[in-house]
Amino acid sequence: MEYDPKIPPSLTADQTSFAYISARDRWPVILTGAIDDVHRAVGVCSEEEKTKEGKTIIEGLAKLKYELQHDRHLTPLPDDGQPDIAGYNKELADLGTPTWFNISWLYAECYLYRRISTFFALSTHWKSYDVFARQKMSTFKSSRPAVLELAAKYKELVVQLEGDPTADKSQEELDHAESILFIEICEICLWGNATDLSLLTTLSYEDIQKLQGSEARKSSEKNIVANDLPQAFRVLKDAQARGNQDRQVDIVLDNAGFELFVDLILAGYLLSANLASNVVLHCKSIPWFVSDVVPADFASLLNALAGPQAFYSTPAEEELQNDRKIEPLSNEEVEVLSFLFNRWSGFHQEGRLVIRPNRFWTQAGSYWRLPKTNSTLYEDLKQSELVIFKGDLNYRKLTGDALWPPTTPFSTAIGPLGPDSGVRILTLRTCKADVVVGLSDGEDERLKATEGGGGNSGARKWAWSGKWAVVQFNDGKE
């Protein structure tokens, strides 16, 4: 807490905030889903000891849900052998005796998922169980139309890049074309974040499809209210022009499923276009915020692409319930997805595309703490040409989830990771929380005046739904 910004944080007691709605409405739904998932897993379990443990986990989840809904005091986390427990419990003690409905939103939400994790970590038979895995893969399966569209475009792009893209073009034309391509792929990556399972708790198959695909992206371009992509592209091009051999790009991941798929589209493009020599994907070590990436999600996605016909021809639960007919993939669609698998698995085998979990990403505090609390990770990020932070939670942690005035410069709001930090940061964020910075004068007021934007209520409702986005850059190496 000592390293966090001195600006007050978003609180679950603030009735004008999304924190207020999250604690009272979203979190109980998420816990109910977790209880149902374990109940289903226990129902098909034939091992007596595992069944018994599963029922104990269900009881723990139900108790947590009761405490949350009845605004009980948060209690110290049980020691599951991981070093972050001490930090969580010290911070809880420093906060006094907070209740669920009157506490820092960021701490409470991280505590919620960390406590869920302890139920499984302290078991014998459920240690590696991901209570959210079923949802993550089901949502990826439901994203089939957008996956196929992007896969075909990606293959076409790679073939062009490996041909002679310089034919009959001036250097100025080439630079402009490369810039446009980089921006479009980053925007695909940005809007892939519109599918966030922790927020869209009642998402239907049709809703998922509406959030994805080229038409949705085109209609959303006007909703990027701050866009620094040209500056980020220039950094990568300058490093390429200098002939640097080691031009690493780091991507701090957010959601699994379709969003991880588009993150891999971006990573693969950077490698094929020689805008990066290697890409490091940073993921969580434990199941987190429902849909966040853990190492097993990366493996599951590659496995789905390795056998796409079997994956997409097996009905998801919702499709079985609605008796929806599943069309098999065409030979061309199988070939395109296999192309992606061969490319990405090849990069992975060569060590040019790696996934790297770190317990820092599931600590309770802001990223303002990084230089002081995890110097090894901080020094690693300083070696990168560009560190791309994906999604809303990463943005909240970068800015301390603090109630900054919306015109506060992004470089100010990220504190120790800002100017002279040695880290170049690009954040791709669809807005799903109250904190937002780097807006021009009057922009927040204009957005509040839009339909459903909050008006004069005191609430920044326009920033809650993922309709609007910010893409912000800070060059900490200047």
Side-chain angles (χ1 to χ4, degrees), residues 33-232:
I35 291 168
D36 290 346
D37 182 89
V38 180
H39 188 270
R40 290 172 58 189
V42 168
V44 296
C45 182
S46 58
E47 302 173 40
E48 182 177 349
E49 284 300 314
K50 185 174 181 179
T51 298
K52 183 178 178 181
E53 276 194 336
K55 291 179 178 178
T56 300
I57 291 171
I58 292 171
E59 290 172 2
L61 290 167
K63 181 175 184 289
L64 174 57
K65 179 182 173 183
Y66 179 88
E67 292 173 6
L68 166 61
Q69 291 184 302
H70 291 82
D71 194 24
R72 297 293 194 258
H73 294 285
L74 280 71
T75 57
L77 295 173
D79 187 356
D80 64 3
Q82 294 298 330
D84 62 333
I85 292 291
Y88 267 93
N89 289 340
K90 181 181 184 304
E91 188 157 346
L92 181 60
D94 291 343
L95 289 169
T97 55
T99 64
W100 283 100
F101 297 163
N102 188 17
I103 187 175
S104 155
W105 180 19
L106 182 60
Y107 178 85
E109 196 158 18
C110 291
Y111 170 97
L112 175 71
Y113 289 97
R114 190 62 185 88
R115 185 162 159 191
I116 291 172
S117 178
T118 65
F119 297 141
F120 299 91
L122 290 169
S123 73
T124 299
H125 301 282
W126 298 81
K127 286 185 183 296
S128 61
Y129 187 78
D130 183 350
V131 70
F132 306 120
R134 198 191 311 261
Q135 295 180 65
K136 287 186 278 191
M137 287 312 292
S138 176
T139 306
F140 180 59
K141 183 172 290 188
S142 299
S143 304
R144 170 175 163 171
V147 167
L148 292 173
E149 176 193 348
L150 288 176
K153 289 189 174 182
Y154 177 81
K155 181 186 177 186
E156 180 182 353
L157 170 63
V158 170
V159 170
Q160 290 175 351
L161 288 171
E162 292 181 349
D164 184 8
T166 65
D168 302 322
K169 289 186 176 66
S170 68
Q171 190 60 48
E172 183 178 354
E173 290 173 325
L174 281 172
D175 288 346
H176 180 68
E178 284 185 345
S179 174
I180 295 299
L181 184 57
F182 173 81
I183 289 171
E184 176 159 343
I185 289 178
C186 284
E187 288 182 358
I188 289 171
C189 202
L190 166 71
W191 293 113
N193 177 249
T195 304
D196 185 334
L197 298 182
S198 75
L199 292 157
L200 302 170
T201 51
T202 58
L203 205 62
S204 70
Y205 181 87
E206 287 76 15
D207 289 336
I208 293 171
Q209 293 184 327
K210 288 176 186 175
L211 287 168
Q212 302 158 347
S214 60
E215 290 304 314
R217 291 194 309 274
K218 288 177 183 177
S219 67
S220 297
E221 284 178 359
K222 64 183 181 298
N223 293 352
I224 304 175
V225 294
N227 195 340
D228 293 338
L229 283 173
Q231 293 96 305

Side-chain angles (χ1 to χ4, degrees), residues 1 5 7 26 89 117 144 153 167 169 189 230 260 263 282 363 448 452 463-464:
M1 294 172 66
I7 304 295
R26 287 176 49 231
N89 289 340
S117 178
R144 170 175 163 171
K153 289 189 174 182
K169 289 186 176 66
C189 202
L260 177 58
D263 291 342
H282 296 268
Q363 291 179 5
K448 283 181 177 177
W464 295 358

